[in-house]
Amino acid sequence: QARACRASAMAFVKRLIGRGGGGEQLGLTTTTAPAYGVNDDEYEGYDDEHRDGDYDHGARLDGTNDGLFTTEERDDENVLGQLHERYGRRTFAAESGVIKPTSGGFLAKKACAGELHAPTSHVCAFNAHTVPENDLQLDFAYGYRGHDTRHNAVYNVDGKVVYASAATGVVYDGNEHVQQFFTFHGDDILCLAIHPELDIVATGQAGRDPVVCVWSTKTCEILAELRGFHQRAVVSLSFDSTGKFLATVGLDDEHSIAVYDWENKKVLANSKGDVKRIFNCEYNPYDGRIVTVGENHIKFWVMENGYLVGKNGVYGRLGKPSTILSIAFGSDGSAYTGNQHGVIHQWADGGEECIQKFDHVHQGPVHDLFISEDYIISCGKDGKINFFTQYMEKVFSVDMGQVVESIVDDQGKPVCYYDGKAVCVKSLYLDGVQLLVGTATGELFEFDLSTEDAWKRNRRIITQGHANVFDAHASLYNAELWGLDCHPSQAKFITAGDDRTVRTYDMYLRRQLSSRNVASRARSCAYSHDGKYIAVGFYGGGFMVYEEKTGQEVAAKKHRRSIISDVKFSPDGRWLAVASHDFFIDIYDTKSHYKRAGVCKGHGAPVTNVDWSEDGKYLQSVSQDFELLFWEIPSCELIEFAAALKDVKWATWTCTIGWPVQGVWPKHSDGTDVNGLARSRDGRVVATANEDGVVRLFRYPSDVGRADHKTFVGHSFHVTKCCFSYNDEFLVTIGGEDRTVLQWRHYEPDEGDEEMTSDVEEEIFTAVEDYEDFGITNKMEQMVFTGHLKGIPQYVPLSVYKATPMHDIPPDSGLDAGSRLAFLPCASSIYAPDDYVREPDILSAPLEAVQLEFAHGYRAHDARDNLHYAAFGDVVYSTAGLGIVYNREAHSQVFMGENPASEEISGHTDDVTCCARHPNGVIFATGEAGCNPKLIVWSSNATKRPVVIIQGYFKKAIASATFSRDGSKLCAVDCDVGHKIGVYNWQTGELLSSCDGSPEKIVNIAWSPFQDYIVTLGVKHCVFWSPDPLKGRKAVFSKRGTIQTALCCGFPAADTTVVGTQDGSLYLFRGYQLGTNARRVHKVAQAITATRDMIISAGSEGVVKFWTADLSLLLRSVSIEYPNVTTACVKSMHLHGKMLLLGTRTGEVFEMNTTSYSYNLLFQGHGYGTIWGLDAHPSDHQICTVGDDSTVRVWDVPSRRMVMVRHLGAKARSCAYHPDGTQIAVGLAGGGIIIFSSDSLDTVHLRKDRGEPIGVLKYSPNGQYIAVGSDENTIDIYDVGKQYSRIGVAKGHSSKVIQLDWSTDSALLQSASANAELLFWEMPNGAQVKFPADLRNVEWYTWSSTYGWPVQGIIPNHSLGDDITCCDRSHTRTCVAVGDARGVLRVFQYPTHQNAQSRSFGAHSGAITQVKFLFDDSYVITVGADMTICQWRVVLGAA
């Protein structure tokens, strides 16, 4: 039965071949499949010019084929091609209706029917047969029909370019680089004429019943449809000088001519033209006659009594009849014609006599003429555009060969089609000083002719398409376009055609980026999985692979002798599948220099398509006899039971046969209807490329007999392939015979819950939890009333009130009276040194104070739009509890912060979560997290005191704030359950309007600078608000966008808003309705800023993109890459003049010049996560820090810059310098330690003896040992000189170890734990010292323990010490710096006794995790949970 089915299919294939047209379009061949070779040397090389005649139809790009044509005829190959072209078209079966059961579909009766298996448990969707909700809209057409037409590109009244490609009329706006489309035609547009008023054009097409359309170039709406008179094709059109009449010429056997009253759709007169081909007709605007020219033909026609009467032109002694191609009219009414031999004749005004002859104007045919007030312009096959005076005196020439050679890509290779020969110019049109030039190779140029040599500098390519190829054997143009693939991760695609070029296009730029010439006609192409390589399959059976970036060839193989119909890399990039019309699929190993690894053999007809499984283990393939086969790779074994693979997931689906694409076939198809298809990347729809020139869109899977669908027109005939872009934003289709590439925008419906990316989810949800868990003002503690002090009620925490002193305090303890250490487990270890005498002023505040000099950090992990230029160029932003004004020239800062020593609130007391800029650039507003958060308005010129503090309405955290366009109002949004919105008169603090914003998180609020409306953005939230009173209206997305998490916005104009979304799309709203979009242009669209001229967007992938104000054109894309900076996820941007600020999620702030697109780093901090570890260099002004961002960083304190960073791959908790400064030890959260070289951060040693975090580590003063304290309650001792071998373990703590200090002689170690234990150890054996009293006189090299005799006064009277997080003694031993859980830095005298006075300083918004003096006590450094490093200068006296 299988053999019978295969025989039947082969008979069908042979019938197709016998029909001629169908077989040629399918690329079918009756040649017996050759045996495949066993080594890579067989058929070496891939150029099909070396094939035997049986495999080569003789198509040559240059048209040469010695012995068949004379030299003159070879020069006229494009004329020959037109003479023999008849534009034959086949008919198609009528469209069948919807058929739900698959048994009633087309594929149910084919050889593949037994291989169509749905996945396990799959149930056909209830709407699988219905029209998909997705939609397509034609976005751009790449191509221009020039090989068989002339004078078909013009300027309209608005200066826009009008031309045709495929079945589409194109109106191109050069200022915006956008196109409008006229798509009424159903076949190739062969001719075009423009109305005298320049706002209307007429276009004529090929086809059995060709139509002439008259349409508006402003609206692209049809004004008149003229059909019924001509047959086969309409080849030329011309309006008369009044614009009322339209002359047309057909391609019937008699080349009939007709004159229409086009507005009334009436034929006024007609006549037989000539049995020979007529190429062109033109109305003489001066005498009203029609002139037709063609093969040995020129006639002058007048309309008399409903008839067209023609008279032949008379050459007289000035020549003999010749093939004439072009016509133009001088200002005196005389006609100029150009013929195929490069001669121009002038014909008398009102007569038929030739009055002048101009020889050798061109070498070869004169394809077009254009006459302006100043010039007679001619163009021809020799690639020259000649400019003459009205007396035919040559003025200058434009050499198109020089032009195409000089326009190159990034690799210095020509972008235009160029094979070293003259560029045949087919169309001219001059408008003022702008010259429009169309070539036979499908390219359209525009030149500036303001001076005679301006064209050499000022020119541009309007569009480019693949060229046609002249078949010298058949004397026809017969090149097709079959190869197409989209880049796996960028908005680019490649095409490969019979013109022997592989071209790369950018979907956003809408331009061809490069063109690579190959040695043979190309029929397939594919990107590698990473986009670095491109494979190309050839007509003659070979293939090649080259680097996408450089064009360098990587491999070239030829094991087949027939068309390579498909090439595809496996998803992992290991294998390359090459399918051929020799019935085989060859598998090549990319890791072994593309050595052939196997051959899949089993098909009984040419293989057309292949697809890989997602894991790269299987391959599916289809052939022209409707076989669907499956293969195991790399063994290439045929899988007999297709049902075994029914649950396999396929990386792509381009096979035209299969269970999910059954519904794309018409019931009564002849098997040639669907040339190609492509499943969208998200698997929702499938698009088909059809033989009838229509692109169809179906639901996926389409597991029905015949599904309903949407149809889209633009191609003329024979669409060969289609492909979705990597992000499904675009669909690209290519036409076989029209060689046009159409780029369609793909619109998805609003559907379902979105899947948030990790960083967006962190911002949306984790940030809210952080506000609750870590916000200082959110800390709740039960208090007890203890009485009044000076009339003020006094409270203490309940835990402190109930605390009782320890029972094992020795009688000779060194505890001060009332010391809080008496209530802690360390009480028994507190002893004063012998002979200690208190100084009289020991309880006074120290002489030392500190001044905040610099804060390293920028809060962006949960905030955005909080980085701004001030009016005079300073940079304003926030970190920790600070508002910062940064001077770029001096690299210095001033601060708006809280003074803990002041009784009045002077700044923020919790994390600053947002920052808004007043329109004047001087006033700023910052909001904070916490219970009853403050919204503080302050001046960047005077930061010490706020202008106004707004408090009371908001309850949890202020997520975002914005000033009104006139600056009089301030609007902000809360992070509470209802996400309240409040509008204030900020100068008075009056709440003007308020309401709930959304039950979902709102992340951004912005006020339009052009109008009084507010936009709020958040989780599935985009709402437009009127401010007084607040009244919101949800955004309307229609078909153009999807409701999803919106994160950022900008305002390019009045009533215009650009919104960035979490899937990377940019939505342009007009009012509250979505107008257009740029889909998935970023990984996540994180920041937007806009001006009237430009939109700038930035995403989580670290790319900044510059767009036109309507999002129609991507102007520039800049990737932010900087040494020691990971992917720069941009969260905030602000444009001031030409300078652009960029703030990243990982704490870097860049400044970019938007003219040169260069950028530099202004400052940086740690990324998201607590900074846990800090140590100061023993002899230099440097520090090292580590934290939860998995980095170790080295900072230079005097220059206030980071000098080195190393990514650890794991979170870190502690760090320490070796005493000689040569090494840095880092303790990891996973229990390991890493030793780095301090000058390079190269790894020296690795150790891992614990599974819990290493909370503290410290080298001994002699540098011989390092003590490592862990959360496993142990201290490991390592010998530095013995490759960090462990030589001891100190065990005895009942809680994690948090602080370590060595004695000066390196013989003893003291340790503090999280439960306030203070223990002592002998070193290096780790034996515990049982009698702490014996150590009362030990000199400790450092003091970082928060428990002990010299620091007992650092704990407040109302505390048990758990709010004191760290301390460090100065090297002069005169003071100690203390950090607490509230972010306050205090400085005490050393030693510190109970009730000692301190100096307090504020900057941090959360717990200070470490504090360190530099080696010379010139600075104090603090780090904290707020991801900020504060650099404090030590001064004497009050600060």
Side-chain angles (χ1 to χ4, degrees):
Q1 185 179 1
R3 285 195 297 271
C5 183
R6 179 172 296 179
S8 173
M10 286 304 298
F12 167 72
V13 171
K14 291 178 180 178
R15 288 197 302 274
L16 282 180
I17 295 171
R19 287 188 336 206
E24 183 179 346
Q25 290 149 7
L26 288 171
L28 297 175
T29 172
T30 57
T31 307
T32 304
Y36 62 90
V38 294
N39 59 65
D40 280 342
D41 296 328
E42 188 171 357
Y43 302 139
E44 194 60 38
Y46 55 85
D47 186 353
D48 65 12
E49 298 304 330
H50 300 297
R51 294 181 294 128
D52 295 335
D54 289 342
Y55 293 90
D56 193 350
H57 290 253
R60 304 291 291 270
L61 281 177
D62 57 9
T64 59
N65 196 352
D66 294 338
L68 295 178
F69 299 100
T70 65
T71 302
E72 182 178 287
E73 287 172 324
R74 284 204 302 270
D75 289 338
D76 301 343
E77 63 190 34
N78 42 32
V79 178
L80 287 171
Q82 282 188 264
L83 289 174
H84 292 92
E85 181 61 77
R86 290 297 180 265
Y87 305 104
R89 293 294 187 257
R90 55 171 283 199
T91 57
F92 298 92
E95 177 64 41
S96 58
V98 171
I99 303 172
K100 290 187 179 181
T102 56
S103 58
F106 171 74
L107 294 183
K109 303 178 179 128
K110 295 300 173 184
C112 61
E115 314 300 326
L116 307 180
H117 300 283
T120 304
S121 303
H122 173 78
V123 177
C124 181
F126 73 94
N127 60 352
H129 63 285
T130 62
V131 172
E133 296 176 357
N134 297 44
D135 211 346
L136 298 177
Q137 182 179 12
L138 189 54
D139 182 62
F140 209 82
Y142 304 90
Y144 158 72
R145 190 177 187 96
H147 71 280
D148 59 353
T149 61
R150 293 170 185 82
H151 200 68
N152 62 338
V154 298
Y155 288 105
N156 74 355
V157 67
D158 298 322
K160 296 179 181 179
V161 180
V162 184
Y163 62 97
S165 186
T168 302
V170 181
V171 181
Y172 172 77
D173 185 339
N175 295 325
E176 301 295 336
H177 191 56
V178 296
Q179 296 174 338
Q180 293 175 274
F181 307 98
F182 176 77
T183 57
F184 190 86
H185 285 287
D187 212 322
D188 284 302
I189 298 176
L190 303 179
C191 52
L192 180 148
I194 190 160
H195 193 276
E197 295 181 2
L198 304 182
D199 59 343
I200 295 171
V201 294
T203 47
Q205 71 171 61
R208 294 191 175 187
D209 181 22
V211 63
V212 174
C213 294
V214 184
W215 50 282
S216 167
T217 62
K218 292 186 175 182
T219 64
C220 289
E221 294 178 353
I222 189 167
L223 305 177
E225 176 189 357
L226 311 176
R227 68 166 75 235
F229 178 77
H230 291 294
Q231 297 177 7
R232 199 173 294 150
V234 178
V235 295
S236 186
L237 300 165
S238 180
F239 284 100
D240 76 329
S241 60
T242 67
K244 294 182 179 179
F245 304 134
L246 178 66
T248 64
V249 176
L251 196 61
D252 55 280
D253 292 338
E254 294 166 335
H255 302 96
S256 301
I257 304 170
V259 175
Y260 281 91
D261 174 356
W262 65 267
E263 290 183 287
N264 294 311
K265 304 178 185 180
K266 292 182 179 180
V267 178
L268 301 180
N270 67 85
S271 175
K272 297 178 181 179
D274 199 326
V275 293
K276 296 181 179 180
R277 174 70 185 269
I278 296 178
F279 290 125
N280 205 349
C281 77
E282 291 287 346
Y283 260 109
N284 188 322
Y286 302 100
D287 61 18
R289 293 189 300 170
I290 301 171
V291 182
T292 58
V293 298
E295 183 183 7
N296 298 325
H297 169 95
I298 178 169
K299 271 190 177 182
F300 298 84
W301 304 81
V302 293
M303 190 166 59
E304 296 179 353
N305 300 321
Y307 295 94
L308 279 175
V309 179
K311 294 183 180 180
N312 291 319
V314 179
Y315 286 87
R317 292 180 297 174
L318 295 179
K320 60 181 180 179
S322 60
T323 297
I324 300 177
L325 306 171
S326 51
I327 319 169
F329 300 97
S331 57
D332 59 357
S334 61
Y336 290 79
T337 61
N339 72 12
Q340 68 174 347
H341 306 305
V343 177
I344 293 179
H345 292 90
Q346 183 179 9
W347 306 83
D349 175 27
E352 297 82 36
E353 299 82 14
C354 180
I355 58 176
Q356 285 196 81
K357 176 184 178 184
F358 305 96
D359 289 317
H360 309 299
V361 176
H362 288 276
Q363 296 179 3
V366 181
H367 284 297
D368 200 8
L369 293 169
F370 189 93
I371 299 178
S372 67
E373 293 181 0
D374 301 319
Y375 298 113
I376 296 174
I377 312 171
S378 66
C379 65
K381 185 181 177 181
D382 59 1
K384 299 292 195 303
I385 304 171
N386 295 327
F387 290 76
F388 301 91
T389 66
Q390 299 297 335
Y391 304 102
M392 286 301 292
E393 297 170 343
K394 190 172 181 180
V395 181
F396 69 96
S397 293
V398 174
D399 188 342
M400 289 300 297
Q402 294 181 14
V403 172
V404 298
E405 281 183 318
S406 62
I407 302 177
V408 297
D409 60 18
D410 294 339
Q411 303 300 318
K413 298 178 181 178
V415 174
C416 305
Y417 178 79
Y418 185 58
D419 57 1
K421 300 178 182 179
V423 179
C424 180
V425 184
K426 300 294 292 292
S427 180
L428 293 174
Y429 197 92
L430 183 66
D431 181 21
V433 296
Q434 299 298 118
L435 178 66
L436 196 60
V437 176
T439 70
T441 52
E443 294 167 328
L444 199 56
F445 298 84
E446 186 178 59
F447 295 93
D448 176 15
L449 296 182
S450 55
T451 62
E452 291 183 5
D453 62 350
W455 63 271
K456 298 179 180 179
R457 301 179 302 275
N458 302 327
R459 69 279 177 95
R460 65 173 170 175
I461 302 173
I462 290 177
T463 189
Q464 291 176 283
H466 280 265
N468 211 330
V469 177
F470 183 70
D471 187 336
H473 287 281
S475 297
L476 287 171
Y477 285 100
N478 67 354
E480 296 190 2
L481 180 58
W482 280 86
L484 169 69
D485 196 24
C486 290
H487 195 284
S489 60
Q490 298 178 27
K492 297 195 297 186
F493 64 89
I494 52 173
T495 57
D498 284 351
D499 62 353
R500 304 183 189 187
T501 63
V502 180
R503 306 180 183 223
T504 305
Y505 296 84
D506 188 298
M507 300 183 196
Y508 293 137
L509 295 179
R510 304 190 186 108
R511 294 195 185 279
Q512 180 182 304
L513 300 179
S514 65
S515 176
R516 179 192 168 98
N517 290 333
V518 293
S520 179
R521 289 188 282 173
R523 279 301 173 100
S524 54
C525 59
Y527 276 105
S528 62
H529 72 295
D530 55 6
K532 293 182 179 180
Y533 300 98
I534 293 173
V536 182
F538 297 112
Y539 189 92
F543 76 93
M544 69 175 293
V545 180
Y546 65 91
E547 290 184 357
E548 190 264 353
K549 189 173 184 180
T550 65
Q552 182 176 355
E553 184 177 295
V554 175
K557 303 283 183 179
K558 184 176 182 184
H559 289 97
R560 300 291 156 218
R561 303 185 69 186
S562 193
I563 295 172
I564 300 300
S565 53
D566 201 6
V567 289
K568 273 198 179 69
F569 287 91
S570 61
D572 61 0
R574 176 65 187 274
W575 311 106
L576 174 65
V578 179
S580 76
H581 280 200
D582 285 347
F583 308 173
F584 300 124
I585 306 165
D586 297 296
I587 306 298
Y588 296 87
D589 189 345
T590 64
K591 304 299 183 183
S592 301
H593 306 289
Y594 289 86
K595 182 178 179 65
R596 188 165 61 170
V599 179
C600 302
K601 50 182 179 176
H603 277 290
V607 183
T608 57
N609 302 96
V610 296
D611 288 300
W612 287 93
S613 62
E614 288 185 355
D615 57 11
K617 294 181 179 179
Y618 304 103
L619 190 74
Q620 68 174 353
S621 59
V622 297
S623 57
Q624 288 178 355
D625 60 352
F626 291 93
E627 275 187 319
L628 173 61
L629 302 182
F630 300 89
W631 315 88
E632 188 173 354
I633 304 299
S635 66
C636 295
E637 293 182 5
L638 176 64
I639 299 174
E640 299 289 348
F641 301 100
L645 300 185
K646 62 183 179 180
D647 293 323
V648 169
K649 293 183 179 180
W650 299 96
T652 59
W653 198 290
T654 60
C655 288
T656 55
I657 299 170
W659 79 268
V661 295
Q662 299 174 74
V664 307
W665 286 91
K667 181 178 180 180
H668 303 295
S669 171
D670 64 359
T672 64
D673 291 88
V674 181
N675 289 320
L677 58 78
R679 181 189 66 192
S680 63
R681 309 282 172 157
D682 63 9
R684 295 182 179 180
V685 292
V686 60
T688 62
N690 298 276
E691 187 71 11
D692 59 3
V694 175
V695 177
R696 292 180 169 87
L697 195 66
F698 298 82
R699 290 184 182 272
Y700 183 92
S702 185
D703 50 340
V704 294
R706 174 61 168 174
D708 205 352
H709 53 273
K710 292 181 178 178
T711 59
F712 305 92
V713 296
H715 287 288
S716 59
F717 180 67
H718 189 46
V719 187
T720 54
K721 274 192 175 60
C722 57
C723 185
F724 282 93
S725 62
Y726 79 101
N727 57 3
D728 283 339
E729 181 175 358
F730 298 100
L731 175 73
V732 181
T733 59
I734 56 174
E737 293 184 4
D738 61 36
R739 293 165 307 284
T740 296
V741 182
L742 296 184
Q743 177 176 307
W744 310 78
R745 277 198 177 272
H746 173 218
Y747 296 108
E748 298 176 349
D750 299 339
E751 186 173 316
D753 293 331
E754 60 186 329
E755 181 179 350
M756 290 190 177
T757 59
S758 58
D759 54 344
V760 175
E761 186 174 9
E762 186 173 88
E763 176 183 346
I764 301 300
F765 300 114
T766 308
V768 177
E769 297 171 1
D770 287 350
Y771 299 152
E772 297 173 347
D773 298 340
F774 302 112
I776 293 173
T777 52
N778 276 328
K779 298 292 184 183
M780 304 296 291
E781 189 169 7
Q782 188 172 356
M783 306 294 284
V784 176
F785 173 71
T786 59
H788 290 81
L789 178 64
K790 297 181 180 181
I792 300 175
Q794 301 296 300
Y795 297 88
V796 298
L798 179 62
S799 58
V800 175
Y801 182 78
K802 290 186 175 181
T804 57
M806 305 301 292
H807 298 292
D808 55 351
I809 300 176
D812 57 344
S813 169
L815 290 172
D816 294 338
S819 172
R820 305 308 299 174
L821 297 185
F823 297 85
L824 303 175
C826 62
S828 60
S829 300
I830 307 301
Y831 292 91
D834 293 334
D835 304 323
Y836 170 73
V837 178
R838 278 199 185 195
E839 297 291 337
D841 61 348
I842 194 64
L843 297 182
S844 301
L847 292 176
E848 295 88 348
V850 295
Q851 290 179 342
L852 183 59
E853 183 179 85
F854 207 87
H856 300 276
Y858 162 64
R859 188 183 185 100
H861 71 280
D862 62 349
R864 63 185 70 251
D865 295 335
N866 60 342
L867 178 68
H868 309 279
Y869 280 109
F872 300 106
D874 288 341
V875 178
V876 179
Y877 65 102
S878 64
T879 187
L882 299 169
I884 300 177
V885 181
Y886 170 77
N887 185 289
R888 296 174 295 160
E889 287 74 22
H891 188 54
S892 62
Q893 300 172 336
V894 294
F895 309 94
M896 193 287 294
E898 170 72 358
N899 180 6
S902 173
E903 293 185 1
E904 296 181 355
I905 295 177
S906 58
H908 290 287
T909 52
D910 213 321
D911 289 300
V912 178
T913 53
C914 62
C915 178
R917 180 184 188 271
H918 191 278
N920 66 15
V922 175
I923 300 297
F924 292 84
T926 46
E928 67 181 15
C931 181
N932 195 23
K934 298 183 289 295
L935 185 59
I936 300 180
V937 182
W938 51 281
S939 170
S940 60
N941 293 337
T943 60
K944 291 188 177 180
R945 294 184 63 84
V947 176
V948 65
I949 298 176
I950 298 172
Q951 197 172 14
Y953 176 66
F954 303 113
K955 299 303 180 185
K956 179 179 275 189
I958 299 172
S960 184
T962 181
F963 282 97
S964 62
R965 64 190 182 111
D966 62 1
S968 64
K969 301 179 184 66
L970 178 62
C971 184
V973 60
D974 198 0
C975 280
D976 64 345
V977 175
H979 300 95
K980 295 194 295 288
I981 301 172
V983 178
Y984 283 88
N985 179 331
W986 63 268
Q987 293 174 311
T988 64
E990 178 187 0
L991 181 62
L992 303 176
S993 183
S994 63
C995 69
D996 283 350
S998 169
E1000 298 285 356
K1001 174 76 180 291
I1002 296 177
V1003 300
N1004 204 349
I1005 188 167
W1007 206 309
S1008 169
F1010 301 103
Q1011 291 171 288
D1012 269 335
Y1013 71 88
I1014 301 166
V1015 181
T1016 55
L1017 309 168
V1019 178
K1020 283 196 175 278
H1021 174 92
C1022 180
V1023 178
F1024 296 80
W1025 302 82
S1026 57
D1028 190 18
L1030 279 170
K1031 185 177 181 181
R1033 182 153 194 172
K1034 292 183 179 180
V1036 177
F1037 291 87
S1038 65
K1039 295 181 180 180
R1040 299 179 180 269
T1042 303
I1043 299 174
Q1044 56 176 305
T1045 295
L1047 301 171
C1048 52
C1049 68
F1051 304 92
D1055 208 33
T1056 305
T1057 309
V1058 182
V1059 174
T1061 66
Q1062 87 99 27
D1063 76 344
S1065 299
L1066 303 180
Y1067 289 166
L1068 183 69
F1069 288 91
R1070 307 289 186 184
Y1072 57 86
Q1073 293 187 332
L1074 181 58
T1076 186
N1077 65 33
R1079 294 187 61 250
R1080 298 179 182 173
V1081 296
H1082 295 286
K1083 182 180 178 183
V1084 177
Q1086 295 279 15
I1088 292 176
T1089 187
T1091 67
R1092 289 186 180 273
D1093 303 319
M1094 181 171 57
I1095 296 169
I1096 308 174
S1097 65
S1100 58
E1101 77 284 2
V1103 177
V1104 180
K1105 297 188 176 184
F1106 297 80
W1107 308 81
T1108 55
D1110 60 356
L1111 286 181
S1112 63
L1113 177 63
L1114 176 63
L1115 303 173
R1116 187 69 178 249
S1117 182
V1118 181
S1119 180
I1120 305 300
E1121 298 175 351
Y1122 202 83
N1124 300 328
V1125 175
T1126 54
T1127 302
C1129 171
V1130 180
K1131 295 291 294 293
S1132 184
M1133 293 192 297
H1134 187 240
L1135 185 65
H1136 185 62
K1138 65 179 181 179
M1139 304 308 294
L1140 178 68
L1141 280 176
L1142 305 167
T1144 73
R1145 185 176 181 274
T1146 48
E1148 295 87 15
V1149 173
F1150 296 90
E1151 185 176 49
M1152 177 185 291
N1153 186 314
T1154 57
T1155 302
S1156 64
Y1157 301 101
S1158 60
Y1159 54 89
N1160 63 285
L1161 180 68
L1162 295 183
F1163 51 85
Q1164 64 192 131
H1166 269 269
Y1168 176 68
T1170 299
I1171 305 174
W1172 292 101
L1174 166 69
D1175 200 17
H1177 194 283
S1179 59
D1180 200 355
H1181 293 89
Q1182 287 190 348
I1183 60 171
C1184 68
T1185 56
V1186 298
D1188 283 346
D1189 66 347
S1190 303
T1191 64
V1192 54
R1193 301 173 187 248
V1194 177
W1195 308 80
D1196 183 72
V1197 174
S1199 67
R1200 305 184 285 275
R1201 299 280 188 190
M1202 189 188 78
V1203 294
M1204 280 186 291
V1205 63
R1206 172 77 182 270
H1207 295 275
L1208 303 172
K1211 295 180 179 180
R1213 290 300 173 86
S1214 54
C1215 60
Y1217 272 102
H1218 190 276
D1220 64 8
T1222 60
Q1223 295 181 350
I1224 298 173
V1226 174
L1228 303 179
I1233 61 171
I1234 308 176
I1235 312 300
F1236 296 101
S1237 170
S1238 63
D1239 59 354
S1240 64
L1241 292 184
D1242 291 334
T1243 302
V1244 178
H1245 293 287
L1246 295 170
R1247 293 285 308 198
K1248 189 175 190 302
D1249 296 306
R1250 299 296 168 193
E1252 295 296 322
I1254 304 300
V1256 60
L1257 37 72
K1258 192 165 287 187
Y1259 283 96
S1260 62
N1262 62 9
Q1264 186 174 353
Y1265 310 112
I1266 183 172
V1268 179
S1270 75
D1271 286 10
E1272 294 182 13
N1273 312 341
T1274 59
I1275 305 168
D1276 295 300
I1277 312 300
Y1278 298 91
D1279 191 325
V1280 175
K1282 295 181 179 180
Q1283 301 295 311
Y1284 285 84
S1285 60
R1286 187 167 63 170
I1287 57 175
V1289 179
K1291 298 180 179 179
H1293 278 292
S1294 59
S1295 184
K1296 63 182 180 181
V1297 180
I1298 58 173
Q1299 285 128 10
L1300 295 173
D1301 292 293
W1302 286 86
S1303 62
T1304 303
D1305 59 5
S1306 302
L1308 295 168
L1309 184 74
Q1310 73 171 356
S1311 59
S1313 64
N1315 62 347
E1317 291 175 329
L1318 183 63
L1319 303 181
F1320 303 90
W1321 316 88
E1322 293 178 1
M1323 291 291 115
N1325 58 24
Q1328 184 176 353
V1329 178
K1330 299 297 184 181
F1331 302 102
D1334 296 343
L1335 306 183
R1336 66 172 67 207
N1337 295 318
V1338 169
E1339 181 178 330
W1340 297 100
Y1341 187 70
T1342 59
W1343 194 285
S1344 60
S1345 173
T1346 53
Y1347 310 110
W1349 173 82
V1351 293
Q1352 54 187 310
I1354 67 175
I1355 302 177
N1357 290 329
H1358 53 74
S1359 169
L1360 290 178
D1362 51 357
D1363 55 347
I1364 303 300
T1365 56
C1366 57
C1367 72
D1368 190 46
R1369 183 188 66 193
S1370 67
H1371 294 81
T1372 60
R1373 306 193 181 193
T1374 58
C1375 64
V1376 60
V1378 179
D1380 68 17
R1382 299 182 63 84
V1384 177
L1385 172 65
R1386 291 182 172 86
V1387 181
F1388 296 84
Q1389 284 198 65
Y1390 181 87
T1392 307
H1393 290 282
Q1394 191 65 31
N1395 299 320
Q1397 301 286 319
S1398 68
R1399 300 188 189 276
S1400 301
F1401 308 93
H1404 288 283
S1405 57
I1408 299 176
T1409 54
Q1410 288 292 339
V1411 58
K1412 291 291 178 184
F1413 281 91
L1414 293 196
F1415 75 98
D1416 60 357
D1417 293 338
S1418 58
Y1419 285 91
V1420 171
I1421 310 297
T1422 56
V1423 298
D1426 52 20
M1427 297 154 281
T1428 302
I1429 304 169
C1430 289
Q1431 181 174 313
W1432 310 80
R1433 181 180 289 277
V1434 178
V1435 296
L1436 296 179

